[in-house]
Amino acid sequence: MSVRHSGIGMTSQRTRLRMIERLRAQGIADEVVLTIMGAVPRHIFVEEALASRAYEDVALPINYGQTISNPWVVARMSELLRANASLTKVLEIGTGCGYQTAILAQIAKKVYSIERIGPLLTRTRIRLQELQIRNIHLKHADGMLGLAEAGPFDGIIITAVTAHVPTPLLEQLEVGGRMVLPKGTQKQNLCVIERTAQGYVETVLEEVNFVPLLAGVVKK
Ligand code: SAH
């Protein structure tokens, strides 16, 4: 274990348990998600200078103008995606610092995650390797195109906001599968889109605040 991992030591374990209590009080009911979030060291995913704030109920900067979603958002999206059942194959758009990816790796057999900012993904790749998470496949690409060669997926999660869901992502959702994303323009809401044999069924939920889903890739 590196100095960084052990540095905050027991404090972070206690702080993490306080975060779990807070999430429960905020209405997160899926005990599987709460248990996983109680075990994943969130402070590893932010810059060292911000590590002491990692368990607060805030989004924090992760460089390149992006943010790590606040704990409630991660918990809520995870419980909506899971819907009380484990998943087989999940696609995540917007890897960012990889915190949500690390949670997904424990609720799905296999996770594919796409990030458009190359240097951000490079750092995240190292971090997730250090945590020895092996059932994830990271890709530097424009997530709006999805990942047809690995689909269809029983779960798709988008961690950046869009006004319209890109068609390839709708197509790559399995019948019976579920997509969770923030959707909107001025006002954003979490949405669940379920694909049924008859078509897509959308449910609009809590108001949220995400950075935008953007086309194309950033190389350096
Ligand atoms: N789950 C991440 C969220 C990061 S913010 C975390 O908690 O760290 C949203 C991320 O989506 C950013 O890293 C941004 O670069 C990425 N993103 C935006 N548009 C994208 C696209 N079209 N394809 C892939 N990633 C995208």
Side-chain angles (χ1 to χ4, degrees):
M1 206 185 260
S2 72
V3 175
R4 173 109 198 267
H5 287 56
S6 57
I8 307 187
M10 284 310 291
T11 314
S12 72
Q13 181 60 40
R14 271 203 301 273
T15 316
R16 209 151 47 234
L17 291 178
R18 273 202 298 275
M19 176 182 81
I20 299 308
E21 285 317 312
R22 199 174 61 225
L23 290 172
R24 219 179 249 122
Q26 289 170 327
I28 302 299
D30 187 335
E31 287 298 326
V32 172
V33 169
L34 290 170
T35 302
I36 295 168
M37 288 183 67
V40 175
R42 186 172 157 92
H43 60 281
I44 303 288
F45 293 84
V46 299
E47 293 305 314
E48 225 159 338
L50 291 171
S52 65
R53 302 195 58 200
Y55 298 96
E56 293 176 19
D57 204 7
V58 289
L60 295 169
I62 52 169
N63 294 327
Y64 309 98
Q66 307 306 319
T67 51
I68 176 173
S69 301
N70 75 56
W72 178 83
V73 163
V74 173
R76 185 70 178 130
M77 290 181 91
S78 302
E79 89 175 348
L80 289 170
L81 193 70
R82 224 177 74 80
N84 289 314
S86 41
L87 295 152
T88 304
K89 209 169 18 161
V90 165
L91 176 65
E92 177 186 39
I93 310 302
T95 317
C97 69
Y99 178 67
Q100 173 79 73
T101 320
I103 309 290
L104 293 172
Q106 294 195 55
I107 65 179
K109 276 213 183 76
K110 177 94 193 168
V111 179
Y112 295 84
S113 186
I114 306 178
E115 171 58 54
R116 66 185 287 277
I117 302 177
L120 180 57
L121 187 63
T122 300
R123 295 176 67 164
T124 296
R125 198 183 286 283
I126 294 166
R127 183 181 290 130
L128 291 170
Q129 270 164 5
E130 276 176 6
L131 289 169
Q132 303 192 342
I133 303 173
R134 302 196 200 284
N135 58 332
I136 55 177
H137 182 85
L138 305 178
K139 188 169 181 188
H140 179 219
D142 180 352
M144 288 193 187
L145 307 172
L147 197 61
E149 65 268 33
F153 303 93
D154 55 349
I156 298 181
I157 179 169
I158 310 179
T159 69
V161 70
T162 179
H164 306 283
V165 182
T167 307
L169 297 178
L170 290 170
E171 288 170 353
Q172 290 167 31
L173 187 64
E174 200 169 272
V175 173
R178 191 176 306 105
M179 187 183 307
V180 178
L181 75 155
K183 201 156 155 281
T185 45
Q186 304 294 18
K187 191 165 151 300
Q188 313 174 7
N189 290 83
L190 283 183
C191 284
V192 177
I193 298 175
E194 285 163 289
R195 184 171 189 180
T196 70
Q198 287 74 41
Y200 297 89
V201 181
E202 182 175 312
T203 311
V204 180
L205 298 159
E206 295 92 344
E207 198 171 333
V208 285
N209 188 16
F210 276 80
V211 297
L213 186 71
L214 300 171
V217 296
V218 177
K219 294 218 167 101
K220 14 178 197 222

